PDB file of all heavy atoms in Angstrom:
ATOM      1  N   TRP Z1529      53.633 -14.071  13.403  1.00  0.00           N
ATOM      2  CA  TRP Z1529      54.243 -14.052  12.036  1.00  0.00           C
ATOM      3  C   TRP Z1529      55.771 -13.878  12.178  1.00  0.00           C
ATOM      4  O   TRP Z1529      56.453 -14.003  11.266  1.00  0.00           O
ATOM      5  CB  TRP Z1529      53.773 -12.865  11.381  1.00  0.00           C
ATOM      6  CG  TRP Z1529      52.426 -12.891  10.976  1.00  0.00           C
ATOM      7  CD1 TRP Z1529      51.497 -14.065  10.856  1.00  0.00           C
ATOM      8  CD2 TRP Z1529      51.597 -11.812  10.321  1.00  0.00           C
ATOM      9  NE1 TRP Z1529      50.316 -13.747  10.404  1.00  0.00           N
ATOM     10  CE2 TRP Z1529      50.289 -12.414  10.092  1.00  0.00           C
ATOM     11  CE3 TRP Z1529      51.700 -10.494  10.134  1.00  0.00           C
ATOM     12  CZ2 TRP Z1529      49.204 -11.588   9.548  1.00  0.00           C
ATOM     13  CZ3 TRP Z1529      50.621  -9.709   9.689  1.00  0.00           C
ATOM     14  CH2 TRP Z1529      49.420 -10.172   9.412  1.00  0.00           C
ATOM     15  N   ASP Z1530      56.302 -13.806  13.437  1.00  0.00           N
ATOM     16  CA  ASP Z1530      57.787 -13.652  13.605  1.00  0.00           C
ATOM     17  C   ASP Z1530      58.190 -12.546  12.974  1.00  0.00           C
ATOM     18  O   ASP Z1530      59.243 -12.621  12.121  1.00  0.00           O
ATOM     19  CB  ASP Z1530      58.506 -14.915  13.253  1.00  0.00           C
ATOM     20  CG  ASP Z1530      59.921 -14.990  13.799  1.00  0.00           C
ATOM     21  OD1 ASP Z1530      60.269 -14.215  14.842  1.00  0.00           O
ATOM     22  OD2 ASP Z1530      60.679 -15.803  13.194  1.00  0.00           O
ATOM     23  N   ILE Z1531      57.685 -11.301  13.052  1.00  0.00           N
ATOM     24  CA  ILE Z1531      58.142 -10.084  12.414  1.00  0.00           C
ATOM     25  C   ILE Z1531      58.185  -8.975  13.428  1.00  0.00           C
ATOM     26  O   ILE Z1531      57.585  -8.982  14.521  1.00  0.00           O
ATOM     27  CB  ILE Z1531      57.189  -9.625  11.174  1.00  0.00           C
ATOM     28  CG1 ILE Z1531      55.900  -9.282  11.750  1.00  0.00           C
ATOM     29  CG2 ILE Z1531      57.177 -10.769  10.212  1.00  0.00           C
ATOM     30  CD1 ILE Z1531      55.035  -8.652  10.809  1.00  0.00           C
ATOM     31  N   ASP Z1532      58.889  -7.950  13.109  1.00  0.00           N
ATOM     32  CA  ASP Z1532      58.883  -6.721  13.702  1.00  0.00           C
ATOM     33  C   ASP Z1532      58.170  -5.614  12.761  1.00  0.00           C
ATOM     34  O   ASP Z1532      58.686  -5.242  11.743  1.00  0.00           O
ATOM     35  CB  ASP Z1532      60.435  -6.212  13.938  1.00  0.00           C
ATOM     36  CG  ASP Z1532      60.426  -4.740  14.566  1.00  0.00           C
ATOM     37  OD1 ASP Z1532      59.436  -4.126  14.693  1.00  0.00           O
ATOM     38  OD2 ASP Z1532      61.507  -4.411  15.103  1.00  0.00           O
ATOM     39  N   PHE Z1533      56.957  -5.345  13.033  1.00  0.00           N
ATOM     40  CA  PHE Z1533      56.189  -4.599  12.192  1.00  0.00           C
ATOM     41  C   PHE Z1533      56.658  -3.233  11.896  1.00  0.00           C
ATOM     42  O   PHE Z1533      56.656  -2.766  10.730  1.00  0.00           O
ATOM     43  CB  PHE Z1533      54.584  -4.593  12.581  1.00  0.00           C
ATOM     44  CG  PHE Z1533      53.796  -3.961  11.645  1.00  0.00           C
ATOM     45  CD1 PHE Z1533      53.486  -4.501  10.337  1.00  0.00           C
ATOM     46  CD2 PHE Z1533      53.262  -2.710  11.833  1.00  0.00           C
ATOM     47  CE1 PHE Z1533      52.733  -3.890   9.451  1.00  0.00           C
ATOM     48  CE2 PHE Z1533      52.477  -2.078  10.945  1.00  0.00           C
ATOM     49  CZ  PHE Z1533      52.079  -2.684   9.680  1.00  0.00           C
ATOM     50  N   ALA Z1534      57.238  -2.582  12.913  1.00  0.00           N
ATOM     51  CA  ALA Z1534      57.711  -1.171  12.665  1.00  0.00           C
ATOM     52  C   ALA Z1534      58.891  -1.266  11.609  1.00  0.00           C
ATOM     53  O   ALA Z1534      59.028  -0.336  10.793  1.00  0.00           O
ATOM     54  CB  ALA Z1534      58.292  -0.799  14.006  1.00  0.00           C
ATOM     55  N   HIS Z1535      59.696  -2.266  11.731  1.00  0.00           N
ATOM     56  CA  HIS Z1535      60.859  -2.512  10.706  1.00  0.00           C
ATOM     57  C   HIS Z1535      60.207  -2.749   9.341  1.00  0.00           C
ATOM     58  O   HIS Z1535      60.582  -2.178   8.369  1.00  0.00           O
ATOM     59  CB  HIS Z1535      61.676  -3.645  11.247  1.00  0.00           C
ATOM     60  CG  HIS Z1535      62.754  -3.891  10.081  1.00  0.00           C
ATOM     61  ND1 HIS Z1535      63.875  -3.229   9.947  1.00  0.00           N
ATOM     62  CD2 HIS Z1535      62.781  -4.955   9.177  1.00  0.00           C
ATOM     63  CE1 HIS Z1535      64.647  -3.738   9.031  1.00  0.00           C
ATOM     64  NE2 HIS Z1535      64.003  -4.810   8.503  1.00  0.00           N
ATOM     65  N   GLU Z1536      59.345  -3.752   9.332  1.00  0.00           N
ATOM     66  CA  GLU Z1536      58.633  -3.915   7.952  1.00  0.00           C
ATOM     67  C   GLU Z1536      58.027  -2.825   7.409  1.00  0.00           C
ATOM     68  O   GLU Z1536      58.171  -2.496   6.110  1.00  0.00           O
ATOM     69  CB  GLU Z1536      57.608  -5.028   8.189  1.00  0.00           C
ATOM     70  CG  GLU Z1536      58.081  -6.391   8.829  1.00  0.00           C
ATOM     71  CD  GLU Z1536      58.900  -7.068   7.883  1.00  0.00           C
ATOM     72  OE1 GLU Z1536      58.794  -7.015   6.702  1.00  0.00           O
ATOM     73  OE2 GLU Z1536      59.760  -7.979   8.346  1.00  0.00           O
ATOM     74  N   ARG Z1537      57.360  -1.937   8.126  1.00  0.00           N
ATOM     75  CA  ARG Z1537      56.737  -0.746   7.615  1.00  0.00           C
ATOM     76  C   ARG Z1537      57.709   0.245   7.129  1.00  0.00           C
ATOM     77  O   ARG Z1537      57.471   1.030   6.133  1.00  0.00           O
ATOM     78  CB  ARG Z1537      55.841  -0.135   8.737  1.00  0.00           C
ATOM     79  CG  ARG Z1537      54.984   1.120   8.222  1.00  0.00           C
ATOM     80  CD  ARG Z1537      53.812   1.270   9.076  1.00  0.00           C
ATOM     81  NE  ARG Z1537      54.062   1.348  10.498  1.00  0.00           N
ATOM     82  CZ  ARG Z1537      53.056   1.321  11.343  1.00  0.00           C
ATOM     83  NH1 ARG Z1537      51.793   1.333  11.060  1.00  0.00           N
ATOM     84  NH2 ARG Z1537      53.319   1.373  12.623  1.00  0.00           N
ATOM     85  N   ARG Z1538      58.818   0.280   7.821  1.00  0.00           N
ATOM     86  CA  ARG Z1538      59.979   1.294   7.335  1.00  0.00           C
ATOM     87  C   ARG Z1538      60.604   0.829   6.109  1.00  0.00           C
ATOM     88  O   ARG Z1538      61.008   1.702   5.327  1.00  0.00           O
ATOM     89  CB  ARG Z1538      61.070   1.386   8.463  1.00  0.00           C
ATOM     90  CG  ARG Z1538      60.612   2.261   9.672  1.00  0.00           C
ATOM     91  CD  ARG Z1538      61.876   2.600  10.456  1.00  0.00           C
ATOM     92  NE  ARG Z1538      62.653   1.456  10.844  1.00  0.00           N
ATOM     93  CZ  ARG Z1538      62.487   0.743  11.968  1.00  0.00           C
ATOM     94  NH1 ARG Z1538      61.513   1.052  12.733  1.00  0.00           N
ATOM     95  NH2 ARG Z1538      63.264  -0.231  12.166  1.00  0.00           N
ATOM     96  N   THR Z1539      60.793  -0.433   5.913  1.00  0.00           N
ATOM     97  CA  THR Z1539      61.644  -0.946   4.835  1.00  0.00           C
ATOM     98  C   THR Z1539      60.933  -1.517   3.565  1.00  0.00           C
ATOM     99  O   THR Z1539      61.512  -1.559   2.432  1.00  0.00           O
ATOM    100  CB  THR Z1539      62.512  -2.082   5.315  1.00  0.00           C
ATOM    101  OG1 THR Z1539      61.759  -3.075   5.831  1.00  0.00           O
ATOM    102  CG2 THR Z1539      63.499  -1.535   6.438  1.00  0.00           C
ATOM    103  N   ARG Z1540      59.586  -1.746   3.687  1.00  0.00           N
ATOM    104  CA  ARG Z1540      58.926  -2.306   2.611  1.00  0.00           C
ATOM    105  C   ARG Z1540      58.282  -1.255   1.726  1.00  0.00           C
ATOM    106  O   ARG Z1540      57.686  -0.004   2.303  1.00  0.00           O
ATOM    107  CB  ARG Z1540      57.889  -3.202   2.981  1.00  0.00           C
ATOM    108  CG  ARG Z1540      58.372  -4.599   3.552  1.00  0.00           C
ATOM    109  CD  ARG Z1540      57.291  -5.547   3.994  1.00  0.00           C
ATOM    110  NE  ARG Z1540      57.839  -6.889   4.325  1.00  0.00           N
ATOM    111  CZ  ARG Z1540      57.810  -7.888   3.475  1.00  0.00           C
ATOM    112  NH1 ARG Z1540      57.423  -7.731   2.163  1.00  0.00           N
ATOM    113  NH2 ARG Z1540      58.247  -8.923   3.777  1.00  0.00           N
TER     114      ARG Z1540
END
Side-chain angles (χ1 to χ4, degrees):
W1529 290 349
D1530 192 22
I1531 63 166
D1532 176 347
F1533 184 68
H1535 172 77
E1536 301 290 336
R1537 186 156 50 188
R1538 284 195 308 270
T1539 58
R1540 286 180 174 269

